[in-house]
Amino acid sequence: MLFKPTIYKKNIYEIDYNQLKKEGIRVLIFDLDNTLALIDEELCPARSRKLIQNLKKEFTIYIISNNEEWRIKPYTDELQIKGIAKAKKPLTVGLRKIAKEGHKKEEMIMIGDQIVTDVLSGNLFSIKTIWTDPLGKKDLKITKFNRFLENKILNYYKKKKILERGKYYE
């Protein structure tokens, strides 16, 4: 089940971070676009900023994105967290870089809005994953193709009663 997330939540604000901590998670790896912020937001929105500032007290936090460095740098600078640009998700290149900084796989979790990049990348790397609904409807051109594939996967999963959009679970 390479495309099935460990947890499915409406958004990053609905995640039970205390439960993750109890389960031994120490490293939160967030996708940027449509997970932490809308794709055209140049700075971190207030609600995400507040969440990350609170989470930094308990977790090590990364932003991981297939975007260029210029896209994630305003976020990593403002939030004072690390980031991985050009991560090549669904490949595990970016996640391997994070692990090489001394983090164990069992302490890491990948959080993102795309099954075919974020969830697949985390699952291929054998870490827990959280899939969220996208924050907005606007996507990058490449993401539109990913959403097409995602819908095919979700239709299959729905028929098999494995996963259904809008039915959240932990």
Side-chain angles (χ1 to χ4, degrees):
M1 297 264 202
L2 283 176
F3 298 103
K4 186 177 185 289
T6 311
I7 298 170
Y8 171 37
K9 290 292 182 183
K10 183 173 179 58
N11 55 51
I12 60 174
Y13 314 108
E14 304 287 324
I15 296 169
D16 186 344
Y17 295 100
N18 289 325
Q19 182 60 38
L20 293 179
K21 187 178 173 193
K22 287 178 189 170
E23 293 173 10
I25 298 299
R26 301 287 176 260
V27 182
L28 305 175
I29 306 162
F30 288 94
D31 171 57
L32 176 56
D33 290 322
N34 272 333
T35 302
L36 271 180
L38 298 173
I39 67 168
D40 50 9
E41 288 182 299
E42 294 179 15
L43 297 173
C44 191
R47 190 172 182 200
S48 293
R49 183 173 45 254
K50 184 178 178 184
L51 175 67
I52 297 299
Q53 295 302 353
N54 285 330
L55 292 173
K56 278 174 45 177
K57 298 171 188 169
E58 304 285 335
F59 298 94
T60 301
I61 301 181
Y62 289 82
I63 292 176
I64 189 169
S65 177
N66 286 346
N67 265 308
E68 302 288 326
E69 183 70 30
W70 64 264
R71 173 68 179 126
I72 71 167
K73 189 162 177 32
Y75 287 82
T76 56
D77 287 352
E78 178 183 4
L79 299 169
Q80 297 180 342
I81 59 175
K82 294 182 180 183
I84 306 287
K86 298 190 245 180
K88 300 179 182 173
K89 296 178 290 180
L91 301 177
T92 61
V93 174
L95 296 173
R96 281 185 278 143
K97 286 180 182 178
I98 293 170
K100 283 182 182 174
E101 292 189 12
H103 303 293
K104 298 175 186 170
K105 286 184 180 185
E106 58 270 16
E107 296 177 339
M108 299 166 60
I109 194 161
M110 177 69 214
I111 304 165
D113 69 296
Q114 290 188 60
I115 285 178
V116 297
T117 56
D118 306 313
V119 172
L120 180 56
S121 180
N123 287 345
L124 288 172
F125 196 61
S126 301
I127 64 173
K128 291 182 179 181
T129 57
I130 299 176
W131 177 50
T132 64
D133 291 339
L135 288 177
K137 295 190 186 301
K138 186 176 178 184
D139 273 321
L140 300 171
K141 285 183 181 175
I142 184 65
T143 307
K144 290 181 187 204
F145 177 71
N146 292 346
R147 298 279 185 218
F148 171 79
L149 294 176
E150 184 174 279
N151 285 330
K152 295 280 187 197
I153 293 162
L154 288 172
N155 286 336
Y156 173 80
Y157 279 178
K158 183 178 178 181
K159 285 178 189 170
K160 298 287 185 182
K161 298 184 185 327
I162 295 169
L163 173 65
E164 186 174 343
R165 190 183 305 274
K167 291 192 176 182
Y168 307 107
Y169 65 87
E170 297 207 22

